Every structure is written in structure tokens, then in C-alpha cells.
Amino acid sequence: MADDKNKNNRKWNVNLNNENPDKRRTTAYYLLMALSVLMFLNYFVLPSYMNRSVEEVTYSTFLNQVSTGDVSEVKLEETQITFVATDDAGDKQVYITGLIDDPTLVTRLEEADVTFSKDIPTEASPILSILVSWVLPLLLFWGLGSLLGKQMAKRMGGGAGGALSFGKSNAKVYVKAGDSKTFKDVAGQDEAKEALSEVVDYLHQPKKYQDIGAKNPKGILLVGPPGTGKTLLARAVAGEADVPFFSISGSEFVEMFVGRGAAKVRDLFKEANEKAPCIVFIDEIDTIGKKRDNGSFGGGNDEREQTLNQLLAEMDGFEANKGIILLAATNRPESLDAALLRPGRFDRRVPVELPDLAGREAILKVHATNYKMDPSINYNTIARATSGASGAELANIINEGGLRAVREGRNAVTQSDLEESVETVIAGYQRKNAVISPKEKEIVSYHEIGHALVAAKQTESAPVHKITIIPRTSGALGYTMQIEEGEKSLMTKQELFNKIVTLAGGRAAEEIVFGSITTGASNDIEQMTRMARAMITRYGMSDTFDMMQIETQTNKYLGGDTSMNVSAGMAEQVDREVLDIIKQAHEKAIAILNENSEKLHELSHHLLVEETITGAEFMKILGE
Ligand code: ADP
Ligand code: MG
Ligand code: ZN
């Protein structure tokens, strides 16, 4: 990857806060703390500890004891009299009593033949005593206080600087970072790269644009699901553009104290203004840019709102041709405040979608360059098996393959390592030595062959690539991998229905063969219900509802939450339709398996013995 020997690639990763943890200072703090503990002991704990055996008596008791001859020794101190006397039990005991201006005392003591003395008043200089009793404790408290303050500031994410640097931005400036990324590191995403290279070009030669009168876009929003390379793209822009690059994550603006986040925004833009032309990148902007909801309980989050307002104000404040370009990334564009998306703010959106087949292959290859790979690896096969995987997941697959190769003692990553890690990443680790009863294994075999057979016997369904009954840690006891032959963006109603039938195939096989059913189909049930529901509520695939949108997807990328748009009566009708589709699919699956029950048994026995069979083997036994 990065070439360490290249001198020009010196890493310039400057932190604006100049935060450098000074070890010596920390030691000093520890010393201070130790000292203060000692002083505390000295002033408050030890004296009372030593006085524990000292009994306080009245002055008259003292005089009484002197006259009875019990007192053997007396010490006249500045504020009290300490004396030793024999108590009732005959033991010597230390007593104290208050000092009274008593001129007869000396005569009495002499008469009773008591040795007595007076303390010489401490000759300590007043300066020293003031120092010890006032200045030192104050110093200690100050030291402790600032130490605590620092730690608190750190914990609150405010970074360093302690109490004095509240509101400093944490933006990091990358000026040609040594490990900087370029567009070459971003595979696929051609449209996004094109949109961003225009920005890079503008920063390189602004005059070309200014001559025509074209203004550069102020704000560009990278939008897409997690792991698709938004952050990577932004870093690549930094690597391509020869200008300072300020990068900060939205969550770093979220502060405990109202107004602090806003101050950070101000600080960031002040800094950017000084360094212009430059790029300011706000990652995960949704953390500060969320819709401001008015009547929420407790007045909502004042802090976030102030931060957002400050950001909006700053965006309006800078001139478009001053050369500050704002980049931001989010995976929840729908949650952003409309004000952020108005013209003149983040008015340009760059979609960063999940990679298609070619994109996946390219991403796999980009990451493979960092590993020792077997030259015979067919990345296309892996790409085909990972439909729907994000760039981050694909990078993970390569890495898992590398780990597996090491585990197996190979010196290069092979095709099977990658195939294995596809399953690892997508379906959890294999639990080879998990204990499963033979009966359970048989059920799982039939279940998986049920899926595979139903898939194979339907037209327009993806061919089976691999069937296995080796359980994964994800909880699945078996796994039937189907691989689409091409890249699919559209699905017909028939294809969707066939998929649901295939999902029903597992349970159907259990019913036919064992006459009983297990919990093993729960994931299938979840998937087929979701698909059947989407057919009716979002894809307009039912006769009853025609092209009416019944559900709105409120969060396209994360989780895919939906909200219903129809009345309760209609919702009931929707449920009936969903149930209809599922019932039809279930019946069709049973019919297919009944027609092919011989093959069902043959294949299941084969799988039970082999534990894993490939698509080719499967088709051979099927005789097709
Ligand atoms: P996002 O910010 O969109 O959630 P990231 O940029 O953090 O995603 O991507 C995470 C990792 O996934 C990257 O560091 C990179 O290793 C890998 N990755 C994602 N997309 C791509 C891509 N298009 N090309 C190469 N690697 C990618
Ligand atoms: Mg990111
Ligand atoms: Zn299943």
C-alpha cells in the first residue's frame, strides 16, 4: 500500500488542538496528589487518631487530681493543658483540659510536686506558616481541579485543552497525508468519482471556472448505505486535491454543554477561512443535521439545534468562490433537516450506492492487491455470490480469506478460502464441531434440499450454487446458496413469487417427509412474509390494491422501516392478501416436492453423507 520509503509521502496529519500528552506533567500531578493526601492525613486524620487515647476533662477535675497527687506530669500548651495522671485502675493516662488564666496554678503544681513545663511557641516564620496553611492547599486544590477538569473534558469528547479551550474544533487537517487515498483506491462508484473530480478540478484551477462565471457547488452530500465507501471517497478527494482538508465527524459536535457544539462549528469555519481554498468534510452529518422537531417534549435537543443553526449560518456566510467546499456524508438523508438541503447549502447530492456485479468484482480486486492471492482465483464467481454486499463487507471477505489461508498453513489465499469467507461474512462462522443429533441433521438435510429442489424445478429462479448442512454461528443449521446469473435490478412478479415458493420449500419438505414441523424455518418465514408484504404494499402487485402505495419506506438504508398509509379496515385486507400469497406459495412448494419425492430422498441422503454439495453435483443427481 503506502510506500514508506517515499519521502514526498511524509504524513502531515496536524491536529489543530496541538494536543500532546505531556508525560512529565502527568507525573507532577501524581506527586501533587500524593502530597495532598499526606497533608490531609496530617491535618485531619492523624491528630485525631493520636488523640484517641486522650481523655478530655474539666479544669476542676484537673485541679482536683493535682491536689490528690495523681498527676505526675503537666505540659502547658498554647491553648490547652496536657497532663499525665494515674487513673482509678492505677494506669497512667493522658488527659487534656482547657487553659484557664489561673495565677495560682504554678503554686499548686509546685505544692503537689508535679514536673511541669511550658511549650516554647513555635518560632516558625509567619511567611512559612501562611505558605503551609494557605498557599500549599490552594495549589493542591488547583492542581487537582485542573486534572479532574482535563479528564472530564476528555471524557466528554471535547478533546484536549482542558477548561480553557472549550469550543475548539477537533477537525483534523490532512495535507497530503502519507497514507492518503486516491480515486484509484475506490473501486466502482464511477458516477460519484466523476462528480467529485469536478470539485477537485475546480480547486486545482478555479480560474477556468471563474472566467466563465461558474460558481463551484458549496455543499456536496454523499448519500448511501453504510460501508459503501463514502468516507473513503471523501478521503480520496483529499488525496487528489492539493488543498487542506478538514475532516470532522458529526458526532464530535455533540457536546454536553449547550453552545459548545456551535462554538466548534464557528471555530472550524474560522480555521477553514484562513486556509481557503480548502475542503471541509463532515462525516455522518445526520448526527447534527437531524430534522428540528418543534413541539417535542422538553423542548427537544437545544444543543443540537444550536449547532445546526450555527452550521447553516456559516454555510450562508462564506462566499462560493472563496474556495471552501463542503463535503458531507450520511446514510439517512431522509432524516436531514430540510434547511440543510436548500439551494446554496448541500444542494448537490452524490449517491453512493451498493456495488453492482462489476463493482463488486473491482472492489474485491482492489483489496486483493494487499494480499498474496493465488493467481487462479476467479473473482467473478465471488462477486456473483455476494449480491447485495457492501464494499466494507467485500473488504472483510478478502481479509477473512487471508486469515483462513494462514490458519490452514497456506502461503497464498485460494478460491476456496474466499468462498468459505463469503459464507463466514454473510452467514456467520462455521461451527464444525457443534453437536447436532443425527435426527436433526437428517431434518436439516431435507429442509435444505427442499429449498434447492423447489428452486430448481421453477423457471426464472436463480440456480443453486451450493448446499450445506454445516451449521454457522449465526444460528442457521444449513444454507442453500443461490447465485443469480446476471445482475438483476428489476424483478418480475413471477420471480418474486417463485422466491417465496423457494423459501417455503424447506418447511414443505419437513412436512412431507416427517409429518411434523420444526422451528428451523423461522428465518424463511420472516423473509417470505416481508417479500409478500412488499409485493402488495409497495410494488403494486395485487389486483385488489392495484397501484396504490400502502406502505412508505421511511428509512431506505438502515433496517428499511415502513409506515402504513391506509385505514385500519384496509390494513386488515392487506394482511389477508399477504396471507393468500404465502398460502399459495406454500401449497406450490408442497406440490413440487410431492412430484419429485424420489429426488428429494436421493438428494437429501447424499447431502446427509457429504454435508456439502455443489450446484454441479446437485444438477447431476437431478439429471438435468
Ligand atoms: P461508509 O463511510 O460509506 O460507511 P467507508 O468509506 O467507511 O464506508 O468504507 C469502509 C471500508 O470499506 C473502506 O475503508 C474500504 O476498505 C471498503 N470499501 C467500501 N467501498 C469501497 C470501494 N468502492 N472500493 C474499495 N473499498 C471500499
Ligand atoms: Mg463512513
Ligand atoms: Zn430454510
Side-chain angles (χ1 to χ4, degrees):
M1 256 186 25
D3 187 355
D4 290 326
K5 277 168 256 161
N6 193 339
K7 267 199 185 157
N8 296 333
N9 270 356
R10 198 153 73 89
K11 190 176 178 188
W12 286 43
N13 192 339
V14 191
N15 196 321
L16 283 185
N17 274 332
N18 229 344
E19 167 193 15
N20 59 343
D22 189 347
K23 274 227 170 119
R24 266 173 303 166
R25 204 182 279 175
T26 338
T27 335
Y29 279 130
Y30 281 125
L31 269 177
L32 267 175
M33 268 175 77
L35 253 175
S36 62
V37 168
L38 272 178
M39 280 192 49
F40 180 78
L41 283 175
N42 190 29
Y43 272 89
F44 304 105
V45 183
L46 288 180
S48 60
Y49 174 78
M50 291 195 314
N51 284 347
R52 221 175 30 180
S53 59
V54 174
E55 198 177 315
E56 198 175 332
V57 294
T58 61
Y59 193 70
S60 50
T61 319
F62 164 60
L63 290 182
N64 202 13
Q65 282 180 301
V66 169
S67 57
T68 54
D70 286 344
V71 178
S72 57
E73 212 178 294
V74 169
K75 198 169 181 190
L76 301 167
E77 286 166 6
E78 253 179 278
T79 54
Q80 64 184 28
I81 300 170
T82 310
F83 63 98
V84 181
T86 28
D87 61 8
D88 301 338
D91 291 328
K92 290 218 165 174
Q93 165 84 31
V94 180
Y95 297 91
I96 53 167
T97 185
L99 184 64
I100 286 182
D101 190 14
D102 178 4
T104 67
L105 180 62
V106 175
T107 2
R108 281 174 197 253
L109 290 175
E110 272 179 339
E111 274 171 13
D113 200 15
V114 177
T115 33
F116 66 94
S117 62
K118 183 160 168 79
D119 245 12
I120 305 161
T122 36
E123 289 275 313
S125 81
I127 294 176
L128 191 72
S129 84
I130 285 176
L131 219 66
V132 167
S133 55
W134 289 103
V135 181
L136 203 59
L138 275 177
L139 268 174
L140 284 175
F141 278 118
W142 174 80
L144 267 175
S146 71
L147 185 70
L148 280 178
K150 261 202 175 160
Q151 288 204 330
M152 253 168 68
K154 233 186 253 167
R155 210 163 292 168
M156 294 183 310
L164 293 178
S165 74
F166 268 4
K168 270 263 179 197
S169 84
N170 298 6
K172 296 172 191 73
V173 204
Y174 295 101
V175 190
K176 267 203 156 173
D179 62 345
S180 78
K181 304 283 180 192
T182 63
F183 283 149
K184 273 201 219 83
D185 295 304
V186 188
Q189 306 298 3
D190 293 330
E191 283 151 55
K193 277 197 269 188
E194 202 182 303
L196 291 172
S197 54
E198 195 187 309
V199 172
V200 172
D201 190 55
Y202 177 87
L203 290 169
H204 281 169
Q205 21 185 340
K207 205 168 169 305
K208 191 171 85 183
Y209 291 80
Q210 280 157 9
D211 283 351
I212 280 190
K215 284 199 185 103
N216 69 305
K218 248 186 190 178
I220 299 173
L221 192 60
L222 301 174
V223 176
T228 44
K230 298 181 294 298
T231 309
L232 182 68
L233 268 166
R235 287 182 64 199
V237 171
E240 297 277 336
D242 250 341
V243 297
F245 183 85
F246 295 82
S247 150
I248 190 163
S249 169
S251 59
E252 285 172 64
F253 287 117
V254 181
E255 291 286 349
M256 187 176 256
F257 298 122
V258 173
R260 221 184 130 186
K264 273 191 173 180
V265 172
R266 213 173 307 130
D267 188 64
L268 172 67
F269 278 86
K270 205 178 121 226
E271 205 74 42
N273 243 315
E274 285 161 12
K275 297 250 169 32
C278 66
I279 297 172
V280 175
F281 174 52
I282 305 176
D283 207 352
E284 286 161 47
I285 194 171
D286 41 286
T287 27
I288 44 167
K290 256 184 252 156
K291 282 195 186 82
R292 289 165 292 187
D293 36 7
N294 303 321
S296 83
F297 249 117
N301 187 340
D302 267 355
E303 159 62 3
R304 219 195 55 220
E305 212 167 300
Q306 275 197 24
T307 311
L308 175 57
N309 284 337
Q310 186 66 39
L311 178 65
L312 295 174
E314 295 288 350
M315 285 194 77
D316 291 342
F318 68 77
E319 279 299 309
N321 38 20
K322 170 120 202 237
I324 301 178
I325 289 181
L326 254 158
L327 277 182
T330 180
N331 43 35
R332 350 185 14 149
E334 71 288 334
S335 78
L336 288 182
D337 198 286
L340 259 181
L341 307 172
R342 269 214 292 272
R345 290 169 182 164
F346 285 103
D347 45 9
R348 194 185 281 195
R349 246 182 215 232
V350 174
V352 187
E353 295 294 348
L354 286 171
D356 57 7
L357 180 64
R360 289 199 301 275
E361 195 175 334
I363 292 173
L364 286 169
K365 281 179 175 162
V366 161
H367 285 274
T369 55
N370 302 324
Y371 297 78
K372 257 212 196 97
M373 308 297 278
D374 191 286
S376 70
I377 285 178
N378 185 345
Y379 294 101
N380 188 270
T381 319
I382 308 296
R384 279 173 188 278
T386 47
S387 169
S390 69
E393 280 161 337
L394 293 168
N396 197 11
I397 284 171
I398 297 275
N399 192 52
E400 284 291 334
L403 292 177
R404 196 180 121 95
V406 172
R407 249 194 331 263
E408 309 267 301
R410 275 191 277 280
N411 51 16
V413 184
T414 63
Q415 182 87 20
S416 73
D417 289 331
L418 289 187
E419 276 181 10
E420 196 71 17
S421 60
V422 167
E423 291 170 31
T424 311
V425 170
I426 288 171
Y429 286 99
Q430 286 198 344
R431 280 191 318 184
K432 278 223 173 78
N433 28 15
V435 189
I436 291 185
S437 72
K439 180 74 191 167
E440 278 173 339
K441 231 170 140 183
E442 197 186 350
I443 296 174
V444 177
S445 297
Y446 274 100
H447 180 109
E448 294 306 326
I449 294 295
H451 285 308
L453 201 52
V454 169
K457 288 293 172 190
Q458 291 182 109
T459 49
E460 298 187 58
S461 100
V464 174
H465 180 71
K466 187 173 176 177
I467 313 164
T468 171
I469 53 166
I470 295 171
R472 356 240 108 209
T473 38
S474 68
L477 296 173
Y479 177 57
T480 301
M481 192 199 273
Q482 277 175 277
I483 295 187
E484 298 281 356
E485 269 173 325
E487 189 64 9
K488 277 244 165 72
S489 310
L490 286 177
M491 278 182 102
T492 63
K493 185 178 171 182
Q494 190 61 45
E495 282 168 334
L496 266 174
F497 181 70
N498 286 358
K499 265 200 153 164
I500 299 174
V501 178
T502 302
L503 284 165
R507 162 65 65 87
E510 291 181 37
E511 284 171 282
I512 290 173
V513 178
F514 303 100
S516 66
I517 52 180
T518 68
T519 53
S522 68
N523 189 259
D524 301 334
I525 290 170
E526 189 187 323
Q527 279 191 53
M528 58 197 280
T529 308
R530 202 171 47 221
M531 287 169 79
R533 197 167 189 88
M535 281 173 77
I536 290 167
T537 62
R538 300 214 315 274
Y539 302 145
M541 288 178 178
S542 77
D543 295 334
T544 322
F545 296 107
D546 207 296
M547 288 180 66
M548 179 179 180
Q549 191 202 37
I550 297 166
E551 266 178 5
T552 314
Q553 228 175 2
T554 49
N555 181 353
K556 200 173 151 216
Y557 295 125
L558 293 171
D561 310 333
T562 51
S563 66
M564 272 281 207
N565 308 332
V566 293
S567 63
M570 222 171 212
E572 230 181 279
Q573 176 73 11
V574 171
D575 289 341
R576 263 197 295 278
E577 298 260 333
V578 172
L579 187 57
D580 253 14
I581 293 185
I582 291 172
K583 276 194 164 150
Q584 276 176 37
H586 190 178
E587 274 162 28
K588 190 175 170 196
I590 289 184
I592 291 175
L593 292 179
N594 272 329
E595 271 168 42
N596 299 280
S597 67
E598 231 170 86
K599 290 288 175 199
L600 174 63
H601 287 292
E602 192 186 342
L603 281 162
S604 300
H605 286 151
H606 189 66
L607 179 62
L608 188 57
V609 176
E610 300 287 327
E611 294 198 337
T612 302
I613 56 177
T614 65
E617 279 177 281
F618 173 80
M619 293 314 274
K620 211 174 119 208
I621 296 173
L622 206 56
E624 278 171 23

